[in-house]
Amino acid sequence: MSTTHTAGNGPLTGVRVVELAGIGPGPFAAMLLADLGADVVRVDRPGGPGLGIDPARDLTNRNKRSAVVDLKAADGPSTVLDLVERADILIEGYRPGVVERLGVGPDACLARNPRLVYGRMTGWGQDGPLATTAGHDIGYIAITGALGMIGPDPDGPPTIPANLVGDYAGGSLYLVVGVLAALQHARAHGEGQVVDAAIVDGTAHLTTMIHGMLAAGGWQDRRGVNLLDGGCPFYGVYETSDGGHMAVGALEEQFYDEFVRLLGIEEAAPARRDFGRWPELREAVADRFRSRTREEWTAAFEGSDACVAPVLSLREAPAHPHLAARGTFTEQGGIAQPAPAPRFSVTPGTLRRGPALPGADTAEVARDWAVPALESPAGTPESEK
């Protein structure tokens, strides 16, 4: 399908997406599609989804347009189905059964548009004993084994990786891969389908390499004792004299040799292959890092193959020379934010507009998508009724 909304560019220009407003991984997945050029219309409910932050600063709604539709109103579902008829992809993140009760479930939408890719984003999935229960990222990654393997201390609690591993890596990114794969199938065969993207499935899938190492005897099923979980003294984080931290990833021998040389502990280098001496090596590395500031160590390792980097905060990261040179972060509307990723040589993604304000684009979408019902009371923001 094509679209009359031509602002900006990206490899998904011409792809139309309907997003039923929610919070977390669904909006992020829709943002990624929008960053890559898709025309994403976020269908907001009257009163909003209740995220609790200023909509003008909700960056996961950038590059989108918003129309307010009350799905509980008599003509609300038919208005959404009018949008669906003109869309390539729909994304929703309700509990199983909710959209069906609202009249915009997969059966209704695919009957209206047989080529539609219907993307469903949930934590537990569409079936199974926990499917209808509430949940959050921390619980999803807990039952998959992912949370249990993160942290430096085998006898302490796991380290919580914000909500990056579950919501966004295991959730949003798998939903995007799924809907784009299904879109390819729909365009080749004229057949839409439902994509069931469960955070538990995606997060479990992320641990595939670790399961392979576990089966081969190269990974112990407890945290803080393995090569990549902080158990290795040359793959970890160390405090500096000023309270900062340096991240070390000198796994390969040639990188390790460079690391110990620049750190100034070459006499401890033989301990690399002797697991019994790893505590001694860790202590030597830690003592040495505590002798200088983060800035001094950053300068000492700059340009080397020692695989050492400063641990930066969210506010510090955009100013890092490498990220600044690449334009990894950008600014729009006075808000520093990550730039669209990944990069394309012919059809780069762009920041075309800031976060969509609920209902602000209703008339524009009604015109561009040829859905006059959007401008009826069911599709009108409460403030304008």
Side-chain angles (χ1 to χ4, degrees):
M1 294 185 182
S2 63
T3 174
T4 57
H5 178 51
T6 57
N9 52 18
L12 295 183
T13 296
V15 173
R16 282 179 163 174
V17 180
V18 173
E19 175 199 352
L20 301 185
I23 59 174
F28 186 86
M31 181 208 76
L32 179 50
L33 296 174
D35 281 357
L36 299 183
D39 180 8
V40 177
V41 172
R42 178 178 167 95
V43 178
D44 279 298
R45 69 196 74 169
L51 184 59
I53 69 171
D54 178 1
R57 297 180 179 274
D58 186 356
L59 296 176
T60 60
N61 286 328
R62 72 187 189 187
N63 280 338
K64 303 176 185 179
R65 298 188 288 179
S66 169
V68 169
V69 178
D70 184 357
L71 278 168
K72 295 181 179 180
D75 55 352
S78 64
T79 301
V80 171
L81 290 175
D82 284 346
L83 287 167
V84 164
E85 184 178 341
R86 296 154 174 79
D88 299 287
I89 296 168
L90 180 143
I91 288 176
E92 63 93 4
Y94 290 89
R95 292 196 205 189
V98 172
V99 288
E100 286 83 353
R101 292 194 296 272
L102 291 172
V104 291
D107 289 346
C109 288
L110 285 165
R112 190 70 170 268
N113 180 358
R115 297 169 60 93
L116 181 73
V117 174
Y118 196 105
R120 313 196 76 169
M121 181 77 265
T122 61
W124 308 116
Q126 296 299 313
D127 53 31
L130 296 176
T132 60
T133 64
H136 281 295
D137 175 288
I138 193 169
Y140 308 141
I141 67 174
I143 70 164
T144 62
L147 178 61
M149 60 176 275
I150 301 173
D153 185 356
D155 300 315
T159 297
I160 301 171
N163 67 332
L164 301 177
V165 172
D167 279 353
Y168 299 124
S172 303
L173 298 186
Y174 277 85
L175 177 60
V176 168
V177 169
V179 297
L180 292 181
L183 179 63
Q184 167 66 19
H185 174 84
R187 289 186 163 178
H189 302 285
E191 178 185 39
Q193 61 183 302
V194 178
V195 178
D196 176 5
I199 295 172
V200 291
D201 296 346
T203 303
H205 195 259
L206 289 170
T207 66
T208 300
M209 184 191 77
I210 304 300
H211 276 279
M213 295 174 69
L214 186 66
W219 191 275
Q220 297 184 52
D221 195 17
R222 60 194 185 103
R223 63 184 161 275
V225 296
N226 296 288
L227 191 66
L228 303 174
D229 65 358
C232 171
F234 41 92
Y235 195 90
V237 177
Y238 292 91
E239 186 176 7
T240 56
S241 65
D242 57 347
H245 292 87
M246 299 296 290
V248 177
L251 290 176
E252 292 82 1
E253 188 162 0
Q254 69 270 29
F255 304 148
Y256 175 78
D257 291 342
E258 181 83 344
F259 166 62
V260 296
R261 181 182 68 81
L262 292 173
L263 191 64
I265 58 163
E266 289 177 276
E267 70 283 356
R272 176 182 183 273
R273 293 181 177 274
D274 185 349
F275 292 168
R277 294 182 64 190
W278 272 14
E280 172 190 338
L281 176 57
R282 184 186 305 280
E283 185 176 352
V285 172
D287 286 346
R288 184 65 177 143
F289 269 119
R290 282 193 292 263
S291 70
R292 297 184 188 177
T293 66
R294 188 186 72 176
E295 183 178 355
E296 289 172 331
W297 282 120
T298 298
F301 286 103
E302 184 176 5
S304 75
D305 280 345
C307 301
V308 178
V311 178
L312 303 181
S313 72
L314 289 173
R315 293 192 184 279
E316 290 176 317
H320 187 278
H322 181 78
L323 303 184
R326 282 185 58 81
T328 299
F329 290 85
T330 188
E331 184 175 309
Q332 185 183 69
I335 304 175
Q337 56 195 280
R343 303 181 184 201
F344 298 84
S345 62
V346 177
T347 57
T350 59
L351 282 185
R352 305 181 301 279
R353 56 173 70 207
L357 302 181
D361 311 298
T362 301
E364 183 180 285
V365 172
R367 182 192 68 238
D368 289 354
W369 284 45
V371 181
L374 268 181
E375 297 186 289
S376 70
T380 302
E382 289 291 311
S383 61
E384 297 178 12
K385 291 183 181 179

